[in-house]
Amino acid sequence: MSTDNKIYLDHNATTPVEPTVLEAMLPYFTEHFGNAGSDHAFGWYAEDGVETARMQVAKLVNCRPVEIYFTSGATEAANLALFGFCENQKVKGNHIITCKTEHKAILEPMEELERRGFAVTYLNVDGEGNIDLHQLEEAFTPKTILVSLMYANNETGLIHPIKTIADIVHNRNAALMVDMTQAVGKIPVDLKNLDIDLGVFSAHKMYGPKGVGALYVSKKKQLTLRKTLFGGNQEKGMRPGTLNVPGIVGFGAAAALATNEIIEEGNRLLKLRNRLENQLSKVDGLQINGQKQDRLPNTTNISIHGIDGSKLLRQFKNLAVSRGSACNANLVSPSHVLKAMGHSDELALSSIRISLGRQTTEQDIDNAIEEISSVVDRLKTVSL
């Protein structure tokens, strides 16, 4: 299928690899192909590439390189963190606090932890997607060991007040894990200032390659995670298996790029997003979800009253956007995020996420406004 003339507005799903990132990776597929665990020149060169990337990633999020462990992605990192930490803390307690709007990469491990005997409290959110900090405080029990909350929501872009949450959690002698996948590379993330204990993020959300992510483990409190994977001592035993050296090098290159341009690019995207939302707000029956809240500069989530959601995306001939729901094979279910925010099934199914990126231009935004407005008008006319 040709993607010519298509406008890609789904950067929260994945991003294209930047040419400079690809250029940095290519030698590690061919001339510098060694195994980073090999004790000879080829291995040493590969290991140097990995450690350079570790420093680049650590610099982006302002932590120590020794606190970064490379994984196959944020989902694997989340599993390592959740199961490794919680299983190691059973003597202290078995209670975990999270939120109903977390990504499935967090919610599904939580379900498994419940099957293993842990108790999980799922915080509610208001109509804009915010958690109630008083409800968070009241959710603690003497057995609470961990709070797991995302930095920025993947569907709405809403940003949680992580520093304030960290203070609440630490005052209760629990640990804080943060899914930072949508935040890192889009907005400044300062781990020393945020004072979180565990964090996960991924390269492919920030113009790096797919198949590589990072687990952050703070050394400040000397946290220990029980091993959940076995078969080698790579990444200090945290994540055994041959390292994906080209992918890790690409992760580092993408981190270096973001470090240099994150403020400027964020401001550019915010202007484009505001242009998009100002025009879409004029469309009859269209609402912008979480509009009044602190959000990622690139993310817009819209719902259209009175539109058949099953027909909505199929009408877009030139736009690549995301449905505001999870699709599993032929089953389409309403977004759990929007339902938690109080949307009906019907309205949640009539929602789409638009996420801008480095390639997005002002002309792309104008074209998107025109096509979305035209499709909504056409579908409303048909439904009359």
Side-chain angles (χ1 to χ4, degrees), residues 8-16 103 150 152-158 179 181-187 202-207 210 269 273 295-301 320-323 352-358 360:
Y8 186 75
L9 298 175
D10 198 18
H11 290 82
N12 283 9
T14 195
T15 55
H103 192 278
M150 67 196 334
N153 189 273
N154 55 296
E155 291 194 28
T156 66
L158 178 132
D179 175 0
T181 307
Q182 291 295 344
V184 174
K186 296 187 178 80
I187 58 175
S202 189
H204 77 103
K205 305 292 188 180
M206 45 182 281
Y207 308 96
K210 298 175 182 66
L269 291 176
R273 191 197 76 186
R295 289 179 291 142
L296 293 174
N298 78 315
T299 305
T300 295
N301 188 293
V321 296
S322 174
R323 187 191 298 273
I352 59 174
R353 179 187 68 187
I354 304 167
S355 45
L356 318 181
R358 292 174 60 86
T360 309

Side-chain angles (χ1 to χ4, degrees), residues 293-307:
Q293 303 306 307
D294 189 16
R295 289 179 291 142
L296 293 174
N298 78 315
T299 305
T300 295
N301 188 293
I302 62 175
S303 298
I304 306 101
H305 294 264
I307 293 294

